Amino acid sequence: MMEKTFIHRLLALFPNAIAHKLLLMWMFILAFWVIYFSPKDYTKFLFSLRNSISLDHWNAFRNSTYPEAPPNPEISPAETELRIRRITEKLDQLIPPRPFTNVSCTTSATHSRASLLSPRDTYCRGDRLDVLLEMRDHLGRRKEYGGDFLRARVFSPALRAGASGKVTDFNNGTYLVSFTLFWEGQVSLSVLLIHPSEGVSALWRARNQGYDRVIFTGQFANGSSPVFSKCGLTLHTSAELCEYLDYRDQEAFYCLKPPQVPCEALTHVTTRNADISYIRQKEWALFDRSNVGVEIMKNFASIKVLACGKSKNITKCQLGMKSPFPSGYTLKRKWIAAFCKQREFNETKTINDCLKRKLIYLMGDSTLRQWIQYLPKMVKTLKYFDLHGVGPFKTHVLLDAERHILIQWKKHGHPFITQSLFSVKDDNYIPREIDRIAGDKDTAIVITLGQHLRPFPIKIFIRRAINIQKAIERLFLRSPETKVILKTENTRRMFDNAEMFSDFHGYIQNLIMRDIFMDLNVGVIDAWDMTIADSTDNVHPPDYVIENQINMFLNYIC
C-alpha cells in the first residue's frame, strides 16, 4: 500500500503523459538492476568497474598465492604475442639444433682455412675484399653445415685503424667474409671463431630454458631493521608473493612476501649468479678458454691499399638513415661513419652551441651511464646536480643553468644485474619513462638495452623491445620533432661466463632491435661495430670510444 501511494505521488509531480511513460521506464530499469545483482555480484561489478578506469595500473602491488610468473598471456595484446612468436620462430630457424657428441667433431679454427678471392698486389681505398672460409672439424673433415659464430676485422695497428667484416653463411660449412678497405696503408685481416655451431646451439637451447641463473634479493623497509626476501622474474613456489606488474606492457617482477611487511615496502634489490647451468656437462668443453675466440689459419699476409683518387659524396648524418654493416671505421681512434658525413665536435663552444636548450634523457645500462660521466670532461660548464640516492645506479643529472641544458641518465627496469644494492623506489621500465616525456624539437632520448637481459629467455628481450617501439610511436604522435637515438650493445670480454653473457646473445639481440626499430625515424649509434673496430672487448670501453659515441649523437641532434 505504501509503495502504491509513493508511486502515485511521484507520478503526480509529472502530469504529462510522456513524462509518466519515461519515469515508469526508468523505474523498471532500476528495479531490474537491483533484482539482477546480488550483493556479492554487486561488489564484483564495482570492483571491475573501478579497475577498468584506474589511472594507476603501473606499479600495482598485490599479494598473491599464485606463483606462475610470466604474466597471463590472455591479458597481453594478441598482436604483441603474435610478433614475439614470429620473431622467436625466425630465430629458431636461424639457429637450428646441432648434435654434439665430442669436441673432435666440432668446428676447429686450426684446421679451417681462409683464402683470398681474386687476390691482387694492391687495392684501392673503398674496394671490397672477399675471403672464403672453409670450415673443418678437429679431425680435418669438412663441415657440412654452418651456424658458427665468427668475428671478422680488418685493421692497421700503426694507424690505430679498424673495421668489422660482414660474414655470409652459406649453411654448408663455407662462409664469405667481406671487408671494405676504408683507409690506405698496410692492412691486416683477422677472422676469429668465437663459438662453433655446436656451441651456438647449446647456448641458444640453454638461454631459453630457464629464468633462474640470476638470484635477486629484495630489501624491504621495516623500521630500523630491513628485511630481505627472494625475488625474480619468476618464482616457482606456493608461498605468498608480492607482484609488481605492468598490466599494459605485461612486464612482471615478483618477491616472496615477508611476514608482517607490506609489498609496498620494497626499496632496494641486489643480485648474484646462481649455481645453475643448462649447458650439459660434456658441452662445457666448447666454452673452455682455449676454444673461444681462436684465430682461423690464413694463407695470406697483410695487403697494401692505395688512395687511387676515389671519393664519393655523402649527405650529413640525419635521423632515419639506414645504418649499413659495417657502419663505419676507426682511424687514429676517431670513428668515421660510412653512410653519412659527420661534423667534428671537438671544441667546447661547438658542443655548447649544439647542446644549448637541450633536454637529453639517457635510458639504459652502465654503458650509457659512461656518457654522463664523460660529458663534463668535454664540457666544463656541465655540473652534477645531486638528486640524492646512493650508489652508482642512482639517477644522474648534469645541468648548465646558463645555457638551459639538462642531461639525465636513468637505469632501465628489471632485470638489472649487479652485486651493488640499487634502489627501486622510482623504478620504471623504459616505455613508461618515454611516456612521461613531453618531447619537442629540443628534446633527445638515447636508449640502450641488452647486457642485463642476456642471461634470460629471449622472449623477455623481444617483449621489452616491442614495448619500447610502441612508446616511441606514441611519443612521435604527440611530439614528432623529438629526437630518438638507439645505441646498440657493446661487445664484451670473450671469456666471461659464456652461458650468461656471451657476445652471441648480444649479436642476436642486435638483430632483433634492428628488425623491430627498422621503420622508425630514429638514429643508430653502432656501438657493436665501434667496439669490434677498436677491438676493446670490454663491457665498459675506454674514453675514446665513448667520445666517438657522443660525437655521433651530437651529429644526429644538431
Side-chain angles (χ1 to χ4, degrees), residues 506-523:
Y507 170 72
I508 294 299
Q509 291 174 174
N510 272 331
L511 293 181
I512 293 168
M513 289 292 274
R514 288 179 179 275
D515 182 66
I516 290 174
F517 285 78
M518 182 187 303
D519 297 324
L520 286 179
N521 186 36
V522 300

Side-chain angles (χ1 to χ4, degrees), residues 198-216:
E198 296 80 6
V200 167
S201 178
L203 288 174
W204 184 242
R205 184 200 70 244
R207 173 171 187 172
N208 293 301
Q209 212 162 326
Y211 291 77
D212 49 359
R213 276 175 286 253
V214 178
I215 297 172
F216 295 83

Side-chain angles (χ1 to χ4, degrees), residues 210-323:
Y211 291 77
D212 49 359
R213 276 175 286 253
V214 178
I215 297 172
F216 295 83
T217 301
Q219 177 178 303
F220 290 76
N222 185 32
S224 59
S225 301
V227 176
F228 296 89
S229 182
K230 183 179 180 181
C231 302
L233 300 178
T234 66
L235 289 176
H236 300 289
T237 176
S238 59
E240 189 177 12
L241 294 179
C242 292
E243 298 180 334
Y244 306 98
L245 308 178
D246 183 332
Y247 291 98
R248 183 195 69 189
D249 291 342
Q250 286 294 283
E251 301 278 10
F253 190 71
Y254 301 83
C255 291
L256 294 177
K257 186 182 182 305
Q260 312 301 318
V261 178
C263 294
E264 292 86 347
L266 178 65
T267 61
H268 294 80
V269 173
T270 185
T271 70
R272 59 184 174 87
N273 295 346
D275 189 19
I276 292 173
S277 173
Y278 296 99
I279 299 288
R280 295 167 187 149
Q281 187 62 41
K282 61 181 180 180
E283 291 172 337
W284 271 110
L286 297 172
F287 307 106
D288 184 86
R289 185 164 184 160
S290 61
N291 291 325
V292 177
V294 183
E295 183 83 39
I296 294 177
M297 296 290 290
K298 53 182 180 286
N299 56 9
F300 48 88
S302 63
I303 60 171
K304 188 174 183 180
V305 181
L306 304 176
C308 300
K310 288 186 176 183
S311 62
K312 61 179 181 178
N313 294 322
I314 54 177
T315 58
K316 71 181 289 290
C317 301
Q318 300 175 54
L319 298 174
M321 283 184 157
K322 301 305 177 188
S323 175

Side-chain angles (χ1 to χ4, degrees), residues 365-488:
D365 56 35
S366 56
T367 66
L368 199 51
R369 188 191 64 204
Q370 287 184 272
W371 286 27
I372 210 161
Q373 293 169 330
Y374 186 74
L375 275 163
K377 300 177 185 178
M378 299 175 70
V379 185
K380 304 298 183 185
T381 56
L382 286 171
K383 304 297 181 184
Y384 281 105
F385 181 83
D386 185 5
L387 281 182
H388 305 178
V390 178
F393 301 112
K394 66 180 181 180
T395 301
H396 294 260
V397 172
L398 292 175
L399 287 177
D400 181 339
E402 182 181 341
R403 294 174 180 82
H404 305 284
I405 302 168
L406 181 146
I407 304 172
Q408 174 187 287
W409 173 84
K410 190 172 184 180
K411 68 176 185 63
H412 63 68
H414 304 298
F416 202 82
I417 301 171
T418 174
Q419 292 182 345
S420 301
L421 203 66
F422 61 88
S423 172
V424 294
K425 292 179 182 179
D426 65 341
D427 249 13
N428 257 335
Y429 296 108
I430 288 176
R432 295 290 178 171
E433 291 290 341
I434 295 172
D435 288 341
R436 290 179 171 184
I437 294 173
D440 59 19
K441 65 182 179 61
D442 290 321
T443 299
I445 300 172
V446 187
I447 300 163
T448 193
L449 184 73
Q451 295 284 351
H452 292 258
L453 281 83
R454 291 187 183 190
F456 302 98
I458 198 65
K459 289 182 180 180
I460 298 287
F461 180 86
I462 298 171
R463 183 184 302 279
R464 186 71 52 82
I466 290 173
N467 288 338
I468 291 172
Q469 178 216 6
K470 290 180 177 179
I472 293 171
E473 288 174 343
R474 290 191 294 270
L475 171 66
F476 285 163
L477 287 174
R478 64 182 181 269
S479 301
E481 293 180 311
T482 307
K483 298 171 177 63
V484 179
I485 294 94
L486 173 69
K487 185 188 84 67
T488 66

Side-chain angles (χ1 to χ4, degrees), residues 153-154 160-165 182-183 317 323-345 488 514 524-535 544-553 555-556:
R153 180 172 176 260
V154 59
R160 292 181 295 179
S164 58
F182 288 111
W183 63 89
C317 301
S323 175
F325 189 84
S327 60
Y329 62 99
T330 56
L331 181 63
K332 297 180 181 178
R333 286 187 171 169
K334 292 291 184 182
W335 176 255
I336 302 170
F339 61 96
C340 63
K341 185 176 182 180
Q342 290 168 270
R343 179 183 171 193
E344 192 63 39
F345 288 88
T488 66
R514 288 179 179 275
V524 176
I525 296 172
D526 200 339
W528 185 267
D529 230 359
M530 289 181 179
T531 48
I532 289 178
D534 278 306
S535 192
Y544 61 85
V545 176
I546 302 305
E547 184 175 340
N548 285 330
Q549 293 174 3
I550 293 172
N551 190 275
M552 193 71 196
F553 164 71
N555 271 272
Y556 278 130

